[in-house]
Amino acid sequence: MITLTHYLVLSGIIFTIGVIGVMVRRSALVIFMCIELMLNSVNLTFIAFSRYLNSLDGQVFVFFVLSVAAAEVVVGLAIIILIFRNKATVNVDEINLMKW
Amino acid sequence: MLETVLFYFFAGAAIISALMLVMRKNPVTCAVSLIITFISFAGLYILLNAHFIAAIQILVYAGAIMVLFLFVIMLLDLKREEDFLSRLKAQKFFGIALAVILLAEVFAAISSINGMFLTRGIYSAENIAEAGGNTKVIGRLLFTDYLLPFEVTSILLIVAIIGAVFLGKKEN
């Protein structure tokens, strides 16, 4: 029998992997993907609670998280492309100036 | 029984591909393993009776967002990718240590849920099936109780489109 705790533990593990990715990786694109991973693990928590509490509010919230994630990806990738155009790198260690 | 097997299959696939995302050097490999993670999550959503969310998970995440990521990866000429365990040893050590502490905190929080204080809603699986299925009920909720957030979402998407067009414009 799969309980709510199983889903919460899985979601916590995936979130932690995403956090490790953000901390360890130095490519802005991969950091961005890890942020998407963290958003997804939170979505899993929402849906697991929605299932076990007999409420659909969690699923509606996941819908909103999805649309915010789509908007965030569009703007974030545009910013990454602009940074690459200016500095010819997406390594976050080398992007340390607000203006150059 | 089948639910248990499917849960462990999708959970294992999600964790392994998430680890691949963090460990592999090539950004295209990272993007493809992220797609595998998204698809396993869609499987878990179906196990949780969230059919509509599973469908838009595949359409929006695995489809639209990851195609955008792959486009950008191929557009940029990413030659210098770092090794997972090469530079900045101290930073990586502390990063992983902090993440493990976070995981311990999450587990402590999960183990303190006892289910007593949680109130149950009216949308049980039988009630949803009687009302016409998951997608129909979510659609009705979106256009009644959540109408204002739904409309604000459309404004947010327009703002994102305008922002992307503005940022992508060539400066003269």
Side-chain angles (χ1 to χ4, degrees):
Chain A
M1 186 60 198
I2 301 298
T3 58
L4 176 62
T5 315
H6 285 79
Y7 285 100
L8 294 184
V9 167
L10 171 66
S11 165
I13 291 172
I14 299 273
F15 190 88
T16 309
I17 294 174
V19 171
I20 290 176
V22 171
M23 298 269 204
V24 168
R25 295 303 295 261
R26 302 264 56 88
S27 158
L29 268 169
V30 180
I31 288 178
F32 215 54
M33 287 188 220
C34 291
I35 292 173
E36 294 300 312
L37 191 67
M38 293 199 280
L39 279 173
N40 256 276
S41 74
V42 174
N43 283 354
L44 183 66
T45 314
F46 267 126
I47 292 193
F49 268 112
S50 139
R51 166 83 168 78
Y52 286 96
L53 297 181
N54 287 342
S55 156
L56 278 183
D57 295 345
Q59 297 188 23
V60 176
F61 265 84
V62 170
F63 178 81
F64 293 132
V65 171
L66 261 163
S67 45
V68 170
E72 174 221 329
V73 163
V74 167
V75 176
L77 287 179
I79 291 174
I80 288 178
I81 289 180
L82 272 188
I83 290 173
F84 187 82
R85 211 183 268 165
N86 278 321
K87 302 259 302 184
T89 177
V90 291
N91 188 331
V92 289
D93 284 335
E94 293 167 32
I95 306 164
N96 50 11
L97 297 173
M98 292 288 280
K99 196 178 175 189
W100 53 83
Chain B
M1 182 57 200
L2 181 64
E3 191 195 357
T4 314
V5 173
L6 283 175
F7 173 79
Y8 283 112
F9 173 72
F10 285 126
I15 290 177
I16 289 171
S17 52
L19 284 174
M20 293 255 294
L21 162 67
V22 177
M23 309 272 245
R24 300 313 292 261
K25 273 192 282 184
N26 188 346
V28 177
T29 320
C30 293
V32 172
S33 42
L34 188 57
I35 292 177
I36 297 172
T37 316
F38 286 161
I39 291 174
S40 343
F41 268 69
L44 290 172
Y45 294 164
I46 290 176
L47 281 183
L48 287 166
N49 282 339
H51 306 128
F52 173 67
I53 300 293
I56 60 172
Q57 168 87 8
I58 299 243
L59 282 176
V60 175
Y61 260 125
I65 290 182
M66 291 320 293
V67 165
L68 207 57
F69 265 109
L70 283 172
F71 261 136
V72 171
I73 289 170
M74 289 165 184
L75 198 67
L76 308 183
D77 185 24
L78 299 175
K79 285 280 161 51
R80 289 169 295 160
E81 244 310 283
E82 83 278 20
D83 210 350
F84 181 68
L85 297 167
S86 61
R87 293 171 52 218
L88 294 165
K89 283 258 167 47
Q91 181 193 352
K92 283 176 182 169
F93 174 74
F94 282 116
I96 293 173
L98 282 173
V100 170
I101 292 172
L102 177 73
L103 184 65
E105 280 179 18
V106 170
F107 281 175
I110 289 170
S111 63
S112 69
I113 296 177
N114 53 18
M116 304 269 268
F117 56 91
L118 302 171
T119 54
R120 287 175 168 266
I122 58 165
Y123 292 104
S124 64
E126 298 81 36
N127 282 353
I128 290 174
E130 207 175 292
N134 180 269
T135 309
K136 190 170 178 182
V137 177
I138 286 187
R140 195 175 295 136
L141 263 184
L142 274 180
F143 285 104
T144 52
D145 291 0
Y146 290 95
L147 183 61
L148 181 66
F150 185 74
E151 299 294 342
V152 173
T153 304
S154 62
I155 296 175
L156 177 75
L157 289 178
I158 288 182
V159 170
I161 294 169
I162 295 172
V165 170
F166 177 74
L167 287 175
K169 212 171 51 179
K170 273 249 185 277
E171 284 177 40
N172 39 17

